[in-house]
Amino acid sequence: MLIDTYGRVATDLRVSLTDRCNLRCTYCMPEEGLQWLAKPDLLTDDEIVRLVDIAVRLLGIEEVRFTGGEPLLRPGLVGIVERVAALAPRPQMSLTTNGIGLKRTASALKAAGLDRVNVSLDTLRPDVFKTLTRRDRHKDVLEGLDAARDAGLTPVKVNSVLMPGLNSDEAPDLLAWALEHEYELRFIEQMPLDAQHGWKRDGMVTAGDILASLRTRFDLTPEGADERGSAPAERWLVNGGPQRVGVIASVTRPFCAACDRTRLTADGQIRTCLFATEETDLRAALRSDAPDEEIARIWRLAMWGKKAGAGLDDPSFVQPDRPMSAIGG
């Protein structure tokens, strides 16, 4: 079991498969990109599967989410999914992706054992997409979403970040589109995880702003805390249901008290939180032939020291040195 001093138990593992990405989203990294991790620093496919096995067999992990960077850029992705699906106990598996490349891989991922996907899409306007991501790939993302739904990687969840002056007016249009295509839309408040450290709370589009905009066109009924559990998204029934919309208000309505996550970076570091400023190295233990029980002990100790919360409202908050692309969303 992965428990911390506040009594929270981690059952959800986020695994970053690569720090690389084929987009350059303005809220994540600079236009010129970043200094990528050297290949020897990355965990191998075997090392990733071994760590996931330790997590589900010895530490009580029940869900595994593969992230990046962009996980579809990992050459061995389908094989990793297939091997994790064969573990006992078998964890639920999902993938967070920008959707580029999903059209050609959705069927193979489903066949390998992937359960569902989360796809990032912030706008319905190709020109705004190009401004936000610095790439002209809007059509590819839409085709990837369709492929995921058709392959049965459901529910397909769409994650959207609204930015002032760019797409902040699109919330109702995005929800109408998601309802039409049977996707579950979740808005995410912009978080301070950009490599340029340019994030500022003043002027950000908040959960309150998003809900006010949605209510100009839709009737929203709160789903309730019992249904939410430890999920980061607060959800609302749309026009009486059954379809829903979610808002992840990491900044204005933090949910740290219910957090059930542990994170593994692409280079084998354990992070207790997206906003952690410290990491615990598992790669060194792996490569020094430590037994599974010793690696589990190191992991437990790391999680025992997890802090109460991210402290985004605290003036002394220090933004992590590593951008989201290197940590995993």
Side-chain angles (χ1 to χ4, degrees):
M1 180 182 294
L2 291 172
I3 189 170
D4 64 32
T5 55
Y6 298 93
R8 296 169 297 193
V9 178
T11 57
D12 185 335
L13 170 61
R14 303 299 169 100
V15 181
S16 175
L17 298 179
T18 178
D19 60 330
R20 296 174 184 266
C21 188
N22 43 12
L23 296 180
R24 296 291 182 270
C25 296
T26 56
Y27 52 76
C28 184
M29 68 172 75
E31 185 171 5
E32 65 274 13
L34 299 167
Q35 182 67 45
W36 306 124
L37 293 167
K39 187 172 181 180
D41 293 336
L42 294 171
L43 293 177
T44 66
D45 293 0
D46 288 345
E47 288 170 336
I48 290 170
V49 173
R50 182 184 173 196
L51 286 175
V52 175
D53 175 55
I54 290 169
V56 300
R57 184 167 45 84
L58 300 178
L59 298 173
I61 290 298
E62 299 171 357
E63 299 179 41
V64 176
R65 173 84 62 85
F66 296 111
T67 70
E70 173 45 52
L72 294 182
L73 295 180
R74 177 88 186 200
L77 172 61
V78 172
I80 291 171
V81 170
E82 188 171 35
R83 292 170 66 184
V84 171
L87 297 178
R90 181 203 187 280
Q92 286 290 306
M93 284 186 294
S94 58
L95 177 84
T96 293
T97 172
N98 61 29
I100 297 173
L102 194 54
K103 180 180 179 180
R104 67 174 182 272
T105 55
S107 295
L109 287 168
K110 179 64 177 179
L114 191 70
D115 295 300
R116 63 172 190 83
V117 294
N118 284 30
V119 179
S120 299
L121 180 65
D122 302 323
T123 179
L124 298 176
R125 305 168 186 163
D127 59 327
V128 176
F129 181 91
K130 188 174 181 180
T131 299
L132 278 168
T133 68
R134 304 184 180 104
R135 297 292 186 271
D136 189 11
R137 306 296 298 272
H138 190 258
K139 182 174 179 287
D140 296 321
V141 179
L142 295 181
E143 291 178 347
L145 279 160
D146 287 343
R149 183 193 57 216
D150 295 345
L153 293 169
T154 55
V156 175
K157 296 184 179 181
V158 177
N159 296 337
S160 296
V161 176
L162 299 183
M163 304 281 288
L166 285 173
N167 61 340
S168 56
D169 62 331
E170 285 198 66
D173 290 341
L174 280 162
L175 180 53
W177 166 81
L179 296 175
E180 178 186 353
H181 290 83
E182 300 181 338
Y183 305 140
E184 184 174 320
L185 180 63
R186 305 192 308 173
F187 293 98
I188 304 176
E189 287 183 336
Q190 184 193 1
M191 294 179 285
L193 289 169
D194 59 305
Q196 309 93 296
H197 289 198
W199 177 87
K200 288 182 172 52
R201 181 180 176 122
D202 293 342
M204 67 172 284
V205 180
T206 68
D209 297 330
I210 294 166
L211 292 170
S213 180
L214 291 175
R215 286 187 170 116
T216 64
R217 198 184 305 179
F218 302 95
D219 178 51
L220 303 181
T221 306
E223 188 178 53
D226 291 341
E227 291 288 336
R228 180 181 183 184
S230 61
E234 293 181 79
R235 299 199 302 180
W236 284 261
L237 297 174
V238 181
N239 296 336
Q243 292 174 297
R244 296 167 172 80
V245 64
V247 179
I248 299 177
S250 304
V251 178
T252 62
R253 304 181 188 180
F255 40 84
C256 301
C259 182
D260 65 349
R261 297 178 181 180
T262 183
R263 298 176 182 276
L264 177 65
T265 68
D267 55 348
Q269 310 300 304
I270 288 298
R271 295 181 68 92
T272 59
C273 174
L274 267 177
F275 302 100
T277 55
E278 297 177 348
E279 299 176 334
T280 300
D281 187 7
L282 293 186
R283 186 185 62 198
L286 277 174
R287 295 181 180 179
S288 62
D289 296 324
D292 291 355
E293 291 74 13
E294 172 61 13
I295 292 171
R297 185 193 69 80
I298 296 170
W299 204 329
R300 288 191 192 98
L301 187 61
M303 293 304 294
W304 182 251
K306 184 173 181 174
K307 294 182 179 179
L312 301 185
D313 286 325
D314 187 337
S316 64
F317 169 73
V318 177
Q319 184 171 340
D321 289 334
R322 295 225 263 179
M324 195 182 332
S325 61
I327 298 169

